[in-house]
Amino acid sequence: MITFDDINIMYGDFIAIKDLNLTINEGEFFTLLGPSGCGKTTTLRSLVGFVKPFSGNIIIEGNRVNDKPIEERNIGIVFQSYALFPTMNVFDNIAFGLKLQKKSKCDIEKSVKDIAMKVDLNKEQLSKKVSELSGGQQQRVAIARALVMKPKILALDEPLSNLDANLRGQLRVELKRLQREFGITTIYVTHDQEEALTISDRIAVFNKGFLEQVGTPKDIYNNSKTEFVTNFIGDINLLQVKIKTELGVPLENKAYIRLEKVYLEPPFEDLTRYQAFEVMVLEKEYYGNYSKYTFKYKEELVRNYVMENERYQLNVGDNTKIYIDKKAILQFKE
Ligand SMILES: Nc1ncnc2c1ncn2[C@@H]1O[C@H](COP(=O)(O)OP(=O)(O)OP(=O)(O)O)[C@@H](O)[C@H]1O
């Protein structure tokens, strides 16, 4: 178990992390999520030992580690700044830490080959220089180099951010599989909300050095506790005056509705739950299996998703009805 107990982190006079209290359970895939500059990397760096908190305690398995050097914390590190050795071959990159520990040649060979197989690097690739590998393969080497040391904790800072979307998706699944297989507590930094939702057991959402909410992906998405989290996670409509009035929402409240809670047809019989609006199709973005629509209601805009099928053939300029699920409106006092 990892605990951040009342942690404050300063860079000079600037408070990068303010009063952080957070517990990460053993074996969890835990993601630190938030926009650029919110402090997620700083939090991870403090856990690893690159940054020292100004106050508070970082506790790993009951031991305060604030003053422990990096190499004594038993954390596998996959950071952009923690680069591989480009001119060394893959085998030697993965073996580097084991050699420092003066393991026998035979043990090293076995450990490197085992881990290479797990991360899908073949024999041929082991003898290549890192600079001869693709971005995705290099990330596999970085992950293998961390895992080969059998750390208790794996710390990853945006490990997939330089890869194209397809490869990112594929490596995400593999990373999750490895984490399950090794049962390793994993702390993962990303600014990508979709990545966080798909990969994590729990997510901590940060904003300007503050922890906004901690929860499972479902919690964070369906029960966003703050306006910031509501806006940051997923695509959402901010409702304007005329629509709010029709819905009976107090005008002084900010009101949001997720795109998937705006329907072309109410999904349940309970018609009191859905408010109908006569709208015009203003824009249609086609994504293959679904389209994203923007509708206009008396100069106010509402968007939704519609799965592509024969049933709804809407075009720009068409008039139609949409139904807003009143139970799904998220309201915040201004
Ligand atoms: N070495 C440093 N010296 C001074 N300020 C820093 C330093 N490192 C980070 N900061 C500041 O601390 C804040 C948090 O930075 P941090 O890197 O933790 O954010 P982040 O959420 O990981 O963002 P990103 O996704 O852009 O890396 C930012 O305002 C940043 O400018």
Side-chain angles (χ1 to χ4, degrees), residues 11 14 16 34-43 158 189 191:
Y11 293 113
F14 176 71
S36 181
C38 69
K40 50 199 189 298
T41 295
T42 298
T43 303
E158 308 252 8
V189 161
H191 65 273

Side-chain angles (χ1 to χ4, degrees), residues 49-171:
F50 290 144
V51 174
K52 210 168 161 178
F54 173 75
S55 62
N57 305 301
I58 298 177
I59 299 165
I60 301 177
E61 291 183 354
N63 299 312
R64 185 178 188 272
V65 297
N66 293 44
D67 303 314
K68 261 198 179 178
I70 299 165
E71 55 282 5
E72 283 176 29
R73 297 192 188 193
N74 199 10
I75 301 178
I77 300 171
V78 183
F79 282 16
Q80 298 283 343
S81 58
Y82 223 58
L84 297 165
F85 306 108
T87 54
M88 254 187 217
N89 72 23
V90 171
F91 183 97
D92 288 339
N93 263 280
I94 300 175
F96 190 77
L98 297 174
K99 283 186 183 163
L100 283 183
Q101 286 184 343
K102 306 244 182 306
K103 294 268 191 262
S104 76
K105 211 173 161 197
C106 176
D107 280 351
I108 292 177
E109 184 131 348
K110 183 172 180 331
S111 300
V112 172
K113 283 189 174 155
D114 281 354
I115 202 73
M117 201 172 72
K118 291 245 159 70
V119 301
D120 227 1
L121 288 167
N122 61 35
K123 208 171 144 201
E124 205 178 302
Q125 286 160 341
L126 277 179
S127 53
K128 280 193 174 173
K129 278 189 199 153
V130 164
S131 55
E132 293 166 351
L133 299 182
S134 70
Q137 287 162 345
Q138 291 189 13
Q139 280 313 75
R140 287 171 206 271
V141 178
I143 293 165
R145 181 179 67 170
L147 286 177
V148 81
M149 303 303 290
K150 298 203 166 50
K152 282 265 185 193
I153 297 166
L154 186 62
L156 303 118
D157 190 355
E158 308 252 8
L160 310 180
S161 59
N162 292 338
L163 308 175
D164 69 54
N166 275 344
L167 190 57
R168 208 160 57 220
Q170 188 191 331
L171 274 180

Side-chain angles (χ1 to χ4, degrees), residues 158-200:
E158 308 252 8
L160 310 180
S161 59
N162 292 338
L163 308 175
D164 69 54
N166 275 344
L167 190 57
R168 208 160 57 220
Q170 188 191 331
L171 274 180
R172 206 150 69 191
V173 173
E174 288 182 31
L175 198 55
K176 183 79 186 168
R177 175 180 57 75
L178 280 172
Q179 185 262 344
R180 259 198 304 263
E181 197 175 318
F182 282 73
I184 190 169
T185 310
T186 301
I187 328 291
Y188 189 89
V189 161
T190 184
H191 65 273
D192 182 335
Q193 21 135 331
E194 184 189 292
E195 191 157 288
L197 289 173
T198 52
I199 207 168
S200 317

